[in-house]
Amino acid sequence: MTIMNVYNAIDSALRDRITRPWIAPFVWIEGRTGIDHMKLLVGSMLVALAFFIASGRMIMLLSNLLGFAYPMYATIDLTVKEDVQPDTPSQPEPTERTGSDAPVKPATRWLTYWITFAAVLIVQQLCGDLLQIIIPFYFLAKIVFFAWCASPMEANGAAFLYKFVVCAHLKQFFV
């Protein structure tokens, strides 16, 4: 209920044109675009926050935290589920797809994710300042890359890296 009170207070403050002259830009943009003033306020706050984060040193911490949060949860969840299952081996499910079309096991995907994450952190430690110069918005690109790698779908970035980098190029050095 308090969230609605805050929302109503902000909404009434944004509609009060007489005592708050700073409302004029919101009224003008709302008239031009048809986007509600509340959405404009939230959007402008998010854009300002994104530029604030992208321009500071906090973006490195934020990108590393986002790279850890969901993958760590999913890895622990997978590990706990495997520990809870009985020790009797189950029959492998027959699949029609083989080779690069075969689905990647969840454990393999998460191991590939953590190897990729570690490799990126090592490269970042060695030449992070150069990467920030060469790649515009490096940390935002890193967040997007790790979000793709950790996305909870079969064809995510970690599965792609496993199939087309590890199996195609690196597997020969370990077999």
Side-chain angles (χ1 to χ4, degrees), residues 104-141:
V104 177
K105 296 177 187 174
T108 304
R109 271 196 317 206
W110 286 117
L111 284 172
T112 304
Y113 175 86
W114 288 116
I115 291 167
T116 304
F117 190 81
V120 168
L121 287 183
I122 290 169
V123 169
Q124 182 179 318
Q125 284 295 112
L126 294 175
C127 54
D129 293 334
L130 182 63
L131 287 173
Q132 292 177 37
I133 294 169
I134 294 172
I135 302 172
F137 300 107
Y138 167 73
F139 289 109
L140 293 176

Side-chain angles (χ1 to χ4, degrees), residues 152-173:
M153 59 184 197
E154 185 177 322
N156 68 5
F160 178 84
L161 287 171
Y162 178 75
K163 288 178 184 177
F164 297 107
V165 176
V166 174
C167 285
H169 302 291
L170 300 177
K171 200 172 189 179
Q172 65 185 346
F173 297 110

Side-chain angles (χ1 to χ4, degrees), residues 9-91:
I10 293 171
D11 186 51
S12 65
L14 285 175
R15 294 201 183 275
D16 185 10
R17 296 181 187 169
I18 297 170
T19 60
R20 294 178 175 84
W22 49 269
I23 302 297
F26 287 103
V27 173
W28 183 79
I29 294 172
E30 185 177 2
R32 292 274 205 197
T33 62
I35 299 172
D36 183 48
H37 60 277
M38 202 59 170
K39 291 180 182 176
L40 288 171
L41 176 68
V42 171
S44 61
M45 289 172 65
L46 289 175
V47 167
L49 180 64
F51 278 110
F52 174 74
I53 290 173
S55 64
R57 295 300 266 173
M58 290 297 291
I59 188 69
M60 184 185 327
L61 175 65
L62 181 66
S63 69
N64 288 340
L65 285 176
L66 291 175
F68 275 117
Y70 174 73
M72 182 177 62
Y73 168 78
T75 303
I76 292 170
D77 185 48
L78 179 69
T79 306
V80 168
K81 284 181 182 176
E82 285 183 357
D83 284 345
V84 171
Q85 292 177 351
D87 291 337
T88 58
S90 61
Q91 295 294 330

